[in-house]
């Protein structure tokens, strides 16, 4: 059986329990099943284990054939988990679903798999909505919303066929030679 992974990250600093609960709903799990996903891997932070345990012990714990796994935090970063979404031997290309933190977004964009970005609206001075909207407008991500992640998952199949390559090349020079600073300078309009 070919593995297909949906990896979800809530980030390391702020709790985002609403995202965890949204990807564990029957509607979302059925959408995964319909699109031939085999695994839902969750980076759930320090409080998320309880959400996963409560779901598993509830009467409504049908996983629709999806293997659901999770962990709190990985000090080495999430690169390995995101790479599991990349196509390979006996693995079909999957998707990353991420909170709208810039570090997680950049990590996922570099791997070149479809990315659904879900802003955490509970944050103070929240910049995540604007970031998600702009990256979606430019064709890099799907701007996901907690109440319609099954729809966003379906939209990611379209993005898979037409997504933009990161980093963008807006002026002909390759900013990747200067790493993150070059990408950010270009995005902010600071050209040499």
């Amino acid at each position: 059986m070919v593995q297909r992974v949906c990896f979800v990250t809530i980030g390391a600093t702020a709790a985002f329990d609403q995202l965890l609960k949204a990807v564990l709903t029957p509607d979302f799990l059925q959408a995964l099943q319909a699109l031939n996903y085999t695994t839902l891997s969750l980076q759930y932070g320090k409080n998320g284990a309880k959400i996963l345990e409560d779901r598993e012990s509830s009467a409504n714990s049908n996983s629709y054939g999806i293997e659901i796994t999770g962990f709190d935090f990985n000090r080495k970063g999430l690169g390995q988990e995101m790479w599991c979404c990349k196509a390979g031997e006996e693995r079909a290309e999957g998707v990353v679903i991420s909170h709208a933190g810039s570090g997680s977004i950049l990590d996922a964009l570099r791997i070149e798999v479809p990315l659904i970005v879900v802003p955490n609206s509970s944050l103070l001075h929240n910049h995540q909505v604007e970031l998600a909207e702009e990256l979606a407008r430019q064709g890099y991500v799907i701007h996901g919303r907690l109440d319609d992640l099954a729809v966003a998952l379906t939209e990611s199949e379209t993005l898979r066929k037409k997504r933009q390559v990161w980093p963008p090349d807006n002026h002909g020079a390759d900013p990747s030679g200067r790493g993150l600073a070059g990408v950010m300078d270009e995005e902010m309009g600071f050209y040499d």
Side-chain angles (χ1 to χ4, degrees), residues 39-65:
T39 306
L40 175 61
S41 177
L42 307 171
Q43 180 271 313
Y44 52 63
K46 67 179 184 176
N47 300 325
K50 175 133 176 57
I51 293 170
L52 195 54
E53 290 168 12
D54 288 349
R55 185 204 168 275
E56 289 171 357
S57 65
S58 76
N60 188 19
S61 63
N62 186 347
S63 64
Y64 298 91

Side-chain angles (χ1 to χ4, degrees), residues 33-157:
Q33 180 188 43
L35 293 169
N36 300 315
Y37 280 85
T38 59
T39 306
L40 175 61
S41 177
L42 307 171
Q43 180 271 313
Y44 52 63
K46 67 179 184 176
N47 300 325
K50 175 133 176 57
I51 293 170
L52 195 54
E53 290 168 12
D54 288 349
R55 185 204 168 275
E56 289 171 357
S57 65
S58 76
N60 188 19
S61 63
N62 186 347
S63 64
Y64 298 91
I66 306 297
E67 176 188 7
I68 301 173
T69 63
F71 61 96
D72 58 357
F73 183 70
N74 185 343
R75 292 188 186 279
K76 295 178 183 178
L78 301 175
Q80 181 177 351
E81 288 81 7
M82 289 184 184
W83 271 98
C84 286
C85 297
K86 192 84 172 160
E89 281 188 39
E90 300 198 29
R91 188 173 59 228
E93 187 175 71
V95 67
V96 173
I97 300 176
S98 178
H99 68 111
S102 57
S104 295
I105 290 172
L106 287 172
D107 286 346
L109 286 172
R110 287 187 189 105
I111 292 172
E112 298 180 356
V113 297
L115 173 61
I116 299 170
V117 175
V118 184
N120 184 345
S121 60
S122 68
L123 298 177
L124 187 63
H125 305 298
N126 189 352
H127 66 283
Q128 292 191 358
V129 172
E130 292 85 3
L131 183 58
E133 287 173 348
E134 184 58 24
L135 288 172
R137 186 189 67 75
Q138 292 182 26
Y140 293 105
V141 306
I142 297 295
H143 175 191
R145 290 164 187 80
L146 292 170
D147 61 350
D148 71 353
L149 282 179
V151 171
L153 187 65
T154 301
E155 290 173 354
S156 75
E157 294 302 309

